Structures are given as C-alpha cells and as structure tokens.
Amino acid sequence: MTRLLLAALLALSALSSPALAVQPDEVLPDPALETRARTISQELRCLVCQNQSIDDSNAPLARDLRILVRDRLKAGDSDDKVMEYVTDRYGDYVLLRPPFKATTLVLWIGPFAVLLLGAAGTFLFLRGRRGVAAGADTAPLSADERRRLDALLRKDD
C-alpha cells in the first residue's frame, strides 16, 4: 500500500512540474547566448498550442522556432532583430504579448467588449423578467375566466 501511494505521489509530482521542452541538442554551448535564446523563446507563442510559449511546448513547430531563434542569435542578430524576423514571418500573433496597434486592437479591446455586451444582455434579461414576475401587464381574472379555470383544474383530478 505504501509503495502504491509513493508511486502515485511521484506520478503527480512529475505531472505538476514544468515542461522541459528544450531538448539537449538545442542548447547552445555559450551560456549567454542560451540565456538570450530562452528569454526570447518565453516571449513567443507556440502556434500549435496557442497559449504556451515555444520554450514550454513540445510541438514540432515550437522546436523549429526554438532552433530558428538560436540560429539567428548564432548569426549575430540582436534580440530585437530576432523578434522582428519571427514576427515578419508569422505576424504579431506569434507574440505572447502583442503590441497595442490598429491590427491588434481586437485582441486588446475584444475581451472588454464581450464582457460589456454580456453585462448589458444580463441586465436587459433580468429587467424583462422582473416585469413578468411582478405581473405588471396582467389584469385580474374575470368571474367567467375564474369558472373556466376551476373547471379545467377539476378535470385533471
């Protein structure tokens, strides 16, 4: 029983640890260049996983992008030049933090617009239900309507 519990805890700890997607064959021999590559890789979105950086993703495309970043750094590009090269090829969508400009306006304003529309819809829905629940538009039953309703209700018994 203790071994089973220990195995389960070990499995859970392995699942909760961060993904080490960078393969040993990708690591640059120069520690300064490798640090720069890791910093840049943490800023770029995996186009397959979408909400993971290429540094964290095991997808083949993320690996290709990590290698591309390292190749550009080895060629002597600055960090900004590497980011410019990648965004020229893949667009601002590849950035985990896209810049605020006309082409990315929907990314920045969209969530707030959806939230506002949802709040307005909820308000209108609740306001409409309040009027129905209070019976604002209903008149009391006439004597004839009351008799017919009583007759219908007695039929079901």
Side-chain angles (χ1 to χ4, degrees):
M1 180 69 172
T2 306
R3 286 184 187 184
L4 182 61
L5 182 60
L6 186 59
L9 286 174
L10 184 62
L12 283 175
S13 68
L15 290 175
S16 65
S17 66
L20 301 173
V22 178
Q23 303 299 312
D25 63 325
E26 297 174 33
V27 177
L28 296 171
D30 181 0
L33 275 182
E34 181 59 26
T35 301
R36 287 175 56 202
R38 295 298 292 263
T39 302
I40 293 170
S41 294
Q42 290 168 357
E43 297 291 321
L44 297 173
R45 176 188 321 273
C46 173
L47 299 171
V48 175
C49 308
Q50 296 183 1
N51 282 331
Q52 265 187 322
S53 70
I54 62 169
D55 198 49
D56 296 330
S57 174
N58 286 319
L61 180 59
R63 177 182 163 82
D64 293 345
L65 285 172
R66 287 192 303 267
I67 292 170
L68 174 74
V69 165
R70 284 165 173 76
D71 288 345
R72 301 303 305 171
L73 288 174
K74 285 191 288 190
D77 286 359
S78 68
D79 293 4
D80 291 336
K81 285 289 184 190
V82 172
M83 294 295 275
E84 182 182 327
Y85 180 82
V86 174
T87 53
D88 285 348
R89 288 183 80 181
Y90 296 99
D92 288 327
Y93 182 73
V94 77
L95 301 174
L96 280 172
R97 290 182 290 172
F100 189 80
K101 58 185 187 180
T103 56
T104 61
L105 197 60
V106 173
L107 294 173
W108 289 100
I109 305 296
F112 299 110
V114 169
L115 183 65
L116 271 169
L117 285 172
T122 301
F123 173 75
L124 292 173
F125 174 75
L126 292 175
R127 193 174 107 195
R129 283 188 50 107
R130 190 173 0 145
V132 170
D137 295 351
T138 59
L141 295 176
S142 66
D144 184 45
E145 291 171 331
R146 174 58 72 188
R147 263 193 319 275
R148 287 184 17 219
L149 179 61
D150 288 340
L152 286 171
L153 290 174
R154 273 187 253 122
K155 253 190 204 179
D156 291 339
D157 290 342

